[in-house]
Amino acid sequence: MAVIKKRFQKKKVCRFCVDKIDIDYKDAKLLRQFITERGKIMPRRLTGTCAKHQRNLAAAVKTARIIALVPFTLNK
């Protein structure tokens, strides 16, 4: 029987809570950090954002997509 060692990862902290950053749909540079190369919004478990800021982030990304600051998908 093989012994499997579990590796513990450092708990991710919310960047917006720690640095007191406001989420704004006009800040495309910040929003692109939370979007995959396919144009999808990254989940909380990967980014480490709290639930409150993840909801605000998703709304900001969707608004930025509508007014064409952030693309829905990348060009093929």
Side-chain angles (χ1 to χ4, degrees), residues 15-16 30-35 41-42 47 49 57:
R15 216 172 112 180
F16 302 105
L30 176 72
L31 296 179
R32 284 179 192 260
Q33 296 174 359
F34 296 95
I35 298 175
I41 301 170
M42 294 178 71
T47 60
T49 58
L57 182 68

Side-chain angles (χ1 to χ4, degrees), residues 7-75:
R7 293 183 182 213
F8 294 100
Q9 290 183 340
K10 182 179 175 185
K11 182 159 173 60
K12 297 178 183 177
V13 293
C14 180
R15 216 172 112 180
F16 302 105
C17 291
V18 172
D19 297 335
K20 305 282 192 238
I21 300 172
D22 291 329
I23 300 172
D24 190 15
Y25 69 92
K26 293 174 275 190
D27 191 2
K29 185 178 178 183
L30 176 72
L31 296 179
R32 284 179 192 260
Q33 296 174 359
F34 296 95
I35 298 175
T36 64
E37 62 274 355
R38 294 246 180 202
K40 295 182 177 183
I41 301 170
M42 294 178 71
R44 283 180 58 202
R45 61 186 164 80
L46 294 180
T47 60
T49 58
C50 64
K52 174 185 169 185
H53 287 115
Q54 181 69 21
R55 287 191 300 270
N56 293 341
L57 182 68
V61 168
K62 291 173 186 177
T63 304
R65 283 177 179 163
I66 291 170
I67 61 173
L69 294 177
V70 177
F72 282 94
T73 59
L74 293 178
N75 297 334

